[in-house]
Amino acid sequence: RKEAERVSRHMDSIHINLPFNKLHMLREMENTIRCLDDLRAGQSWSNYLVNKVISKHVRISVQGTGADELFGGYPWRYEAEDYLSIMDKTKLPEGFLKNSFSIPKNIPKTILERYQWDIDHFLNGLLIVGDRLSMAFGVEERVPFLDNKLAEYALRLSPAVKQNKSILRNATTSYDLSTVKRGFGSPDKQWMNGPMVENHIRQELGTSIYLPEYVDMDKIESLIEARNYPALWSLLALHYWLKIYADGK
């Protein structure tokens, strides 16, 4: 928050604070899934809420989408020993899924392969989420980092030049960018630790008439106790998606 305010002062822009809490998360999950149309990995209810507020002020927003993927902004992803753990964070118990899903055969090993995987897959997902959750409120997202010429230039750079977005940091001399990079996210892991959220999850998943066709319902409690929030988000998303579309709403 302090860093965002500092950037706003530097750019002389209007800064609006949006204080979210776990109640916002619980209230907006179903609406988020409805606007996404299909299932997407990763929590995105906060994107839904931000666009809801943006729509009250402007109709066009400028996003930084693509900067990380084109300029090496995820060092923890590229340097991980086990990249499969980056690609799949759900860590589901054995036998939980009633339908098997194939694991990608060619797991990216080199930095170049991991850069390319993020551009081919991860970036595409971000653009879909951004487009659908912004247009849910009539907001048009623009992504200047994906300008054709800039993207072509970035793709020609070696990993050593653009690692941790160093080339972008060096190009910005009028502002101190030495702070630790933080992504746009919400503290879902912390919020899922309380009894209120855990009981909500039990109620929603436990009463689902569709989930038993796809998962072993007896193992859901172990996910709640382990606070496996990537898996719980995915299950809630599947639950709401089936509730919305299988019921024809």
Side-chain angles (χ1 to χ4, degrees):
R1 178 175 175 177
K2 291 182 178 179
E3 285 302 314
E5 292 172 348
R6 188 160 71 93
V7 172
S8 177
R9 288 194 299 271
H10 177 78
M11 300 183 66
D12 193 25
S13 63
I14 298 173
H15 184 68
I16 300 175
N17 286 312
L18 305 176
F20 295 157
N21 57 46
K22 61 183 67 177
L23 290 177
H24 289 96
M25 176 180 70
L26 298 180
R27 283 199 300 260
E28 301 299 351
M29 273 190 180
E30 186 168 352
N31 289 331
T32 301
I33 299 304
R34 180 179 286 106
C35 292
L36 284 174
D37 289 337
D38 59 11
L39 295 171
R40 313 302 310 178
Q43 298 90 325
S44 50
W45 64 269
S46 51
N47 302 66
Y48 174 89
L49 271 175
V50 166
N51 279 294
K52 186 176 183 179
V53 175
I54 288 174
S55 68
K56 298 177 181 178
H57 301 275
V58 296
R59 285 298 168 187
I60 296 175
S61 67
V62 178
Q63 304 291 327
T65 311
D68 286 315
E69 292 74 22
L70 289 173
F71 292 97
Y74 302 116
W76 60 90
R77 293 168 66 89
Y78 308 133
E79 297 167 5
E81 292 186 12
D82 179 15
Y83 200 68
L84 182 59
S85 66
I86 300 294
M87 299 167 69
D88 179 13
K89 296 183 178 181
T90 55
K91 307 292 188 298
L92 296 174
E94 186 176 353
F96 179 71
L97 297 175
K98 293 188 177 180
N99 299 285
S100 60
F101 294 87
S102 60
I103 297 175
K105 295 181 180 179
N106 299 318
I107 305 298
K109 296 181 175 61
T110 67
I111 290 182
L112 277 175
E113 289 176 350
R114 294 177 179 187
Y115 279 178
Q116 193 61 49
W117 193 92
D118 273 354
I119 291 173
D120 292 342
H121 303 284
F122 189 65
L123 177 58
N124 181 58
L126 292 179
L127 291 171
I128 290 174
V129 169
D131 179 63
R132 292 181 181 176
L133 295 185
S134 62
M135 291 310 297
F137 299 99
V139 175
E140 176 189 341
E141 282 194 355
R142 295 187 179 178
V143 284
F145 281 107
L146 295 180
D147 171 82
N148 286 343
K149 290 184 178 180
L150 182 59
E152 289 171 358
Y153 170 73
L155 291 172
R156 291 197 299 266
L157 297 174
S158 68
V161 173
K162 59 183 180 179
Q163 192 171 13
N164 199 23
K165 296 164 79 170
S166 57
I167 191 170
L168 289 182
R169 293 173 181 268
N170 295 334
T172 307
T173 57
S174 62
Y175 184 74
D176 179 17
L177 290 176
S178 60
T179 55
V180 177
K181 174 191 176 325
R182 291 182 177 87
F184 175 71
S186 51
D188 303 272
K189 185 175 183 179
Q190 290 81 1
W191 287 352
M192 286 186 175
N193 284 345
M196 180 181 72
V197 176
E198 290 178 359
N199 289 335
H200 175 84
I201 293 173
R202 288 188 180 94
Q203 174 66 23
E204 288 293 326
L205 299 183
T207 58
S208 175
I209 63 175
Y210 298 107
L211 283 181
E213 183 179 345
Y214 301 95
V215 303
D216 184 347
M217 300 293 286
D218 294 333
K219 295 182 179 180
I220 289 180
E221 185 61 31
S222 66
L223 297 176
I224 297 175
E225 292 177 355
R227 295 184 171 89
N228 185 341
Y229 69 98
L232 292 173
W233 160 263
S234 297
L235 281 174
L236 284 168
L238 177 59
H239 161 67
Y240 286 128
W241 188 83
L242 291 169
K243 178 181 175 183
I244 293 165
Y245 293 105
D247 284 345
K249 295 182 181 178

